[in-house]
Amino acid sequence: MKHTQRWFAAVLLGLGLTLLSCVDRPALAYVEAPHSFGQIVALSTNILVVRVKAVDRTNNIIIYSKVRDLKGVHKQEEIRHNIGKYGFEPREWQTVMNWAEVGKEAVFFHNGGQAEMCLGMYWYQTVGNANDPNGSWTMTHAEPYLLRSFAGRIDKLIPAVLDVMAGKEVIVPCMVNSSPEDLKAARGKIQRLRASLKLMNYDPKRDFVGWGGEDFRRIQGMPGFTHLSTISRVDPDALSATALDINADGKPDVCLSGSSRVAVLVNSGESLGEISLPGATGSRASVWADYNGDGLPDLLLATPTGPRLYTNVGKGELRDDSHLLPHEPAYNLTCAAWIDQNGDGRPDILLGNGWHGLRLYRNLGKTDAMPTLAMTDWHYIGPFDNAGGHGGFDRVYPPEKEIDYKKKYPGRGQEAIWKPAKFTDGAINNLGLFNNNHDALVYLHRQILCRRAMELPITLGSDDGLAVFLNGQRILANNTQRACAPDQERVTLKLRAGKNDLLLKITQGGGDWAFYFQPQRKVPPAVSWAFEDVSEAVGLGASGIAGNEKGDSLTVCDLDGDGKTDFLYSAGDGLVIRNTGERFERVANSGLRWQTGRVGLVPGDYNGDGRVDLFIPQPGGCKLFRNEGNGRFVDVTATVGLDKLTGQITSAAWGDVDNDGRVDLVIGCLRGPNRFFRNRGETFEDASSAIGLTQRVFNTQAVCLVDLNGDGVLDMVFNNEGQDSVVLLGNPEAMGKNIPVTLQLAMKQGLTGSQVRVLDRAGQLAGTYTLTSGDSRGGQAPPLARFALAPGTYTVEWHLSSGRKHTQQIEVASTHFRGVLGESKE
């Protein structure tokens, strides 16, 4: 009796282009029946590509301009979407508004006045009038279940629509029909399904092609590689490429970053599928570290408006916890890195803040401080008897006397026990949770925490009667029968310092049963971890080192071998900054000097002496500096044969590509082919043609080397400008005789700036690997120590940034050795 009824036009649009009843309020109903991609194309009368023209964030308005019609002719050249604050929960409209940036494209499917908008990895529903040239559309809610029909990139969706309409069969990425929670959060596993106008019903078993959103295809003419896959683009101004295990499944994943977009790609074993990063746009650096010691890497972005911190909560889901970081009055971040400055094992945050100086945010660890204002999740208990639809309102049941989640009480027709609930503030929440929901009542409880006494106005709604108790005192009572709606009741909670118990009692006669709750002031997220700005105390800040210089890249590693993590700042003619453990000091006589500006330094031990050397792209060429020890470097570019390298060099990565025991150099270039220089011990040999890199121009801005498919051979990830980024899988048949060794670095503290050393039976150094941060224009080395060794017994020493040393023996036989170094992630 209480909610306006809504329905879908199953005959007109049996898929998800819904026909809504003519009501003022948006309809609230997901399209839950799965539909094939072919159905969506066939049942849409109009399909068009649109581009964001303007965004009004005050009123939640997105204005699109029509780019082109794919099916039918849409009369509106300018399409106005009123996003409002609609949906079942706030993240539905928030995700759409966070996505909306001028220039982004989407695909609009509609059948008259009912429509679905595909953003790629997100769908939402609108209602409007397609026949009115000046008409506008209103978002009603998200459509997460349509991700089962398509979940991928817009530039892949457009040709797929055209091919299907032309009668062709295509392969489209779709989200697995998994749990509703995974679909709503757009974090479900990606599969590839066949689609055409002949495949009108949803049948993933019949249409399954493989896992992941991007295909790996065989390539010819490139002897060093077997397969190629195009992956997400983050240009213009692509910056970095990083590999690491994001979801703890043992397979390295990939993060591509650009100044306008960040893409996190999960490795399914056969392909890479993108996952959502809530609220993220672009970044000038994208660096990872396990800041909270839970064994999962967390993401730090350097954006012009300040740092963004994403906590990894598991299963490939990243949560925006930027509120944990200190706030500065002016931000213009150009770079960022993680660094363990004080050697406590916890990664601190190092920022280049434009002309405002370098900043250091000290990681203080978990905090138990009382928040300014925070609310726990709801719990509910019931049903209790409400005879005749009103008889229980004034009756005092046990929850009004005590709140004990462990206790059980006699209920109406069943035992009443406390259960947690995922109710959403600011939305109408269903209370039909029991076997018999008639003539019943339920209690809802949550705690409100605040540092000091304050007043908190709230608005409520209920179906039917409502009583409100604060700290055991009843402050509102309305024994009524009504449909639930927002803002039916208003009350001000007078909160005391500390913990406050809020209890709602909601009665029910018959029909629908629901409640609404919304605080009238912003409730900040709870602070669970502490970071402190200690810039001035360690010699940084506006009056400290480089306080008046602007740089655009940071590189963190131990330059002088004293066990403390130092850093390099690409400002002026290059700054070398030493960490004493107490403060930072500028080093004037290091021998390092380079031309800065869009230049990232790439650390690596090319000569196997255990010290970090530096490759630096330069205009028209490059520089290689050998580390002589004690923080002194010498330019050996000509000595090793790299002085002949010319072209527009942007980036590089070190790695033993041919498995001969020496790290090679892969170099990214614009307007020319990428280059591969094989390490011959004392010199480098240009072997680009030998592996086939000269066959194509990728316009690469960043390079990452990592074994994605676990075959013991390094694969290449190129973050490209002006074209798709790509992955090239290395060819095992082109490798040397040494055995690949891959060690996953699993210690929960002391990783950033740590170094892995491998010693043979005689105690001689057989290989080193340094886990750096911020190198090569905002990327970093993967937390995978990789070597190529002859069969035998070796001792692995892992020197952590905290000063600890972990020692482990390994036995290398005749096949790829894979192991975990340090503590387990369990």
Side-chain angles (χ1 to χ4, degrees):
M1 69 178 187
K2 317 260 173 52
H3 293 298
T4 304
Q5 296 296 314
R6 292 123 183 157
W7 62 89
F8 296 105
V11 175
L12 178 63
L13 287 175
L15 45 86
L17 306 175
T18 57
L19 179 62
L20 307 172
S21 61
C22 296
V23 294
D24 293 333
R25 292 176 56 198
L28 296 177
Y30 286 141
V31 178
E32 296 195 35
H35 299 87
S36 71
F37 182 76
Q39 281 179 290
I40 294 179
V41 174
L43 295 173
S44 302
T45 57
N46 291 81
I47 306 175
L48 59 151
V49 182
V50 297
R51 181 180 294 128
V52 178
K53 180 180 179 181
V55 181
D56 179 354
R57 300 195 183 278
T58 301
N59 298 303
N60 277 20
I61 302 292
I62 305 174
I63 299 176
Y64 297 94
S65 58
K66 184 173 80 169
V67 177
R68 62 169 168 153
D69 293 295
L70 302 179
K71 182 180 182 182
V73 178
H74 185 80
K75 295 180 180 180
Q76 299 164 343
E77 293 297 322
E78 186 174 279
I79 302 161
R80 180 187 179 94
H81 278 196
N82 175 20
I83 304 304
K85 294 186 177 181
Y86 303 131
F88 293 103
E89 55 189 19
R91 75 173 174 186
E92 297 188 20
W93 63 264
Q94 290 169 353
T95 299
V96 176
M97 292 305 299
N98 287 335
W99 167 87
E101 297 287 343
V102 173
K104 285 189 174 181
E105 291 188 346
V107 176
F108 197 26
F109 299 78
H110 74 81
N111 193 317
Q114 298 77 40
E116 307 288 351
M117 177 71 88
C118 182
L119 309 182
M121 290 297 292
Y122 205 79
W123 292 74
Y124 68 91
Q125 182 190 95
T126 62
V127 294
N129 186 355
N131 296 316
D132 182 358
N134 299 313
S136 64
W137 302 73
T138 299
M139 174 186 170
T140 59
H141 53 272
E143 287 291 12
Y145 294 98
L146 290 183
L147 290 170
R148 297 175 297 192
S149 306
F150 183 88
R153 292 158 45 191
I154 292 299
D155 60 348
K156 301 293 185 183
L157 173 58
I158 295 169
V161 170
L162 293 172
D163 285 345
V164 167
M165 289 195 306
K168 299 179 182 178
E169 181 175 285
V170 299
I171 297 172
V172 293
C174 309
M175 201 162 284
V176 171
N177 191 7
S178 54
S179 70
E181 290 74 23
D182 284 346
L183 288 167
K184 291 175 185 177
R187 62 171 181 250
K189 191 174 182 180
I190 300 294
Q191 60 184 342
R192 302 190 304 280
L193 301 180
R194 295 183 300 121
S196 74
L197 294 178
K198 296 180 180 179
L199 302 172
M200 295 297 285
N201 66 306
Y202 181 81
D203 189 344
K205 290 185 178 179
R206 176 195 64 197
D207 301 330
F208 180 82
V209 174
W211 295 112
E214 305 288 354
D215 292 320
F216 280 98
R217 59 182 185 274
R218 282 200 165 271
I219 52 174
Q220 303 296 326
M222 301 181 75
F225 310 97
T226 61
H227 293 78
L228 177 146
S229 174
T230 59
I231 55 177
S232 297
R233 291 175 62 166
V234 295
D235 64 324
D237 199 15
L239 290 172
S240 67
T242 299
L244 72 167
D245 185 4
I246 296 166
N247 56 356
D249 65 353
K251 297 187 289 291
D253 309 303
V254 173
C255 177
L256 302 180
S257 179
S259 62
S260 59
R261 186 165 182 264
V262 177
V264 180
L265 309 171
V266 172
N267 183 357
S268 71
E270 296 182 4
S271 60
L272 295 167
E274 188 170 351
I275 63 173
S276 63
L277 192 60
T281 52
S283 177
R284 293 168 175 173
S286 303
V287 287
W288 299 76
D290 180 11
Y291 81 83
N292 56 6
D294 64 356
L296 298 170
D298 309 299
L299 174 61
L300 174 69
L301 302 182
T303 78
T305 57
R308 299 287 295 272
L309 178 64
Y310 287 88
T311 302
N312 191 335
V313 296
K315 297 183 179 180
E317 183 178 353
L318 298 167
R319 181 184 66 216
D320 189 347
D321 278 340
S322 303
H323 67 280
L324 300 178
L325 303 180
H327 181 74
E328 297 181 33
Y331 274 119
N332 184 22
L333 295 189
T334 56
C335 48
W338 295 96
I339 183 171
D340 182 7
Q341 185 272 329
N342 59 351
D344 65 355
R346 290 192 295 261
D348 308 310
I349 292 174
L350 182 65
L351 303 172
N353 192 17
W355 296 108
H356 303 290
L358 292 161
R359 314 298 300 183
L360 183 74
Y361 295 165
R362 174 73 45 75
N363 185 342
L364 300 180
K366 189 174 182 180
T367 177
D368 295 322
M370 181 68 65
T372 302
L373 180 65
M375 296 188 183
T376 64
D377 290 337
W378 290 100
H379 281 68
Y380 71 92
I381 187 171
F384 294 97
D385 186 47
N386 185 40
H390 55 78
F393 188 82
D394 292 321
R395 185 174 176 183
V396 177
Y397 287 102
E400 295 181 35
K401 301 176 181 178
E402 62 176 358
I403 303 295
D404 188 340
Y405 287 169
K406 296 180 180 180
K407 286 195 174 182
K408 304 175 183 180
Y409 310 100
R412 184 178 185 275
Q414 64 185 85
E415 189 175 49
I417 60 175
W418 285 102
K419 293 183 179 180
K422 291 293 184 181
F423 296 138
T424 302
D425 292 347
I428 295 176
N429 295 279
N430 176 37
L431 290 175
L433 306 169
F434 308 106
N435 296 329
N436 187 345
N437 297 299
H438 296 287
D439 294 335
L441 67 84
V442 66
Y443 288 94
L444 312 177
H445 174 260
R446 76 187 322 176
Q447 282 194 331
I448 303 178
L449 315 174
C450 52
R451 188 173 298 163
R452 60 182 181 275
M454 65 174 63
E455 293 187 352
L456 177 65
I458 62 172
T459 66
L460 303 115
S462 65
D463 177 351
D464 291 304
L466 171 67
V468 179
F469 302 83
L470 179 64
N471 296 323
Q473 300 296 315
R474 191 168 74 172
I475 60 175
L476 175 71
N478 189 356
N479 189 5
T480 184
Q481 288 194 344
R482 61 188 176 189
C484 182
D487 307 336
Q488 291 172 319
E489 309 283 353
R490 291 177 177 268
V491 67
T492 297
L493 303 179
K494 296 183 178 181
L495 304 174
R496 63 195 182 195
K499 297 179 180 179
N500 296 266
D501 289 296
L502 177 64
L503 184 70
L504 306 185
K505 180 180 185 178
I506 301 169
T507 62
Q508 163 70 337
D512 293 335
W513 194 9
F515 87 103
Y516 175 92
F517 174 90
Q518 178 64 47
Q520 294 304 291
R521 61 172 288 186
K522 185 176 181 180
V523 179
V527 175
S528 57
W529 209 266
F531 288 89
E532 179 185 12
D533 188 343
V534 296
S535 306
E536 284 74 17
V538 296
L540 304 180
S543 59
I545 298 170
N548 296 316
E549 299 188 69
K550 181 179 181 180
D552 59 7
S553 74
L554 288 162
T555 304
V556 171
C557 54
D558 182 4
L559 296 170
D560 54 11
D562 66 352
K564 302 180 182 66
T565 46
D566 313 302
F567 72 93
L568 302 114
Y569 187 37
S570 197
D573 58 359
L575 302 183
V576 181
I577 301 169
R578 178 175 176 268
N579 180 9
T580 69
E582 299 293 330
R583 295 174 59 84
F584 288 113
E585 297 177 348
R586 184 169 178 174
V587 179
N589 57 349
S590 67
L592 286 171
R593 187 183 181 90
W594 69 94
Q595 185 172 337
T596 61
R598 298 178 64 84
V599 168
L601 285 67
V602 190
D605 180 13
Y606 85 91
N607 58 354
D609 63 359
R611 295 189 287 264
V612 176
D613 311 306
L614 293 168
F615 176 87
I616 308 177
Q618 294 284 262
C622 67
K623 287 188 176 183
L624 179 64
F625 289 94
R626 185 177 66 218
N627 191 334
E628 297 289 282
N630 296 320
R632 296 283 299 169
F633 290 80
V634 61
D635 188 341
V636 295
T637 311
T639 305
V640 300
L642 290 177
D643 56 325
K644 301 179 180 63
L645 175 60
T646 60
Q648 193 168 346
I649 299 167
T650 62
S651 52
W654 295 100
D656 191 352
V657 174
D658 56 6
N659 283 352
D660 67 350
R662 295 183 289 265
V663 291
D664 308 305
L665 194 58
V666 178
I667 299 171
C669 302
L670 291 177
R671 301 180 182 88
N674 294 337
R675 310 292 289 276
F676 168 57
F677 280 83
R678 182 174 280 122
N679 188 342
R680 290 303 192 187
E682 299 297 328
T683 60
F684 287 87
E685 171 191 63
D686 189 346
S688 308
S689 297
I691 65 172
L693 276 183
T694 55
Q695 300 300 312
R696 293 187 59 171
V697 174
F698 291 105
N699 279 322
T700 296
Q701 289 277 27
V703 179
C704 177
L705 301 180
V706 63
D707 181 8
L708 288 171
N709 56 357
D711 63 355
V713 179
L714 282 177
D715 309 310
M716 299 185 186
V717 180
F718 296 149
N719 190 355
N720 298 330
E721 189 79 28
Q723 58 181 290
D724 286 338
S725 299
V726 301
V727 173
L728 292 169
L729 297 185
N731 185 0
E733 296 180 0
M735 298 301 106
K737 296 181 180 180
N738 281 2
I739 308 303
V741 174
T742 304
L743 299 173
Q744 181 182 357
L745 307 184
M747 198 75 72
K748 294 180 180 179
Q749 288 191 330
L751 274 72
T752 303
S754 64
Q755 186 182 68
V756 179
R757 293 171 170 248
V758 177
L759 308 175
D760 62 18
R761 282 183 178 273
Q764 298 298 309
L765 190 63
T768 62
Y769 184 83
T770 301
L771 185 59
T772 58
S773 176
D775 53 284
S776 192
R777 294 185 65 203
Q780 66 193 95
L784 294 168
R786 188 184 178 281
F787 309 94
L789 305 171
T793 302
Y794 295 88
T795 299
V796 181
E797 294 180 349
W798 189 5
H799 299 262
L800 303 170
S801 66
S802 59
R804 293 176 55 196
K805 183 173 78 171
H806 178 85
T807 303
Q808 192 169 315
Q809 276 202 340
I810 61 172
E811 189 73 32
V812 179
S814 58
T815 58
H816 182 198
F817 179 91
R818 285 179 286 187
V820 177
L821 187 61
E823 298 171 347
S824 169
K825 286 194 174 185
E826 297 299 325

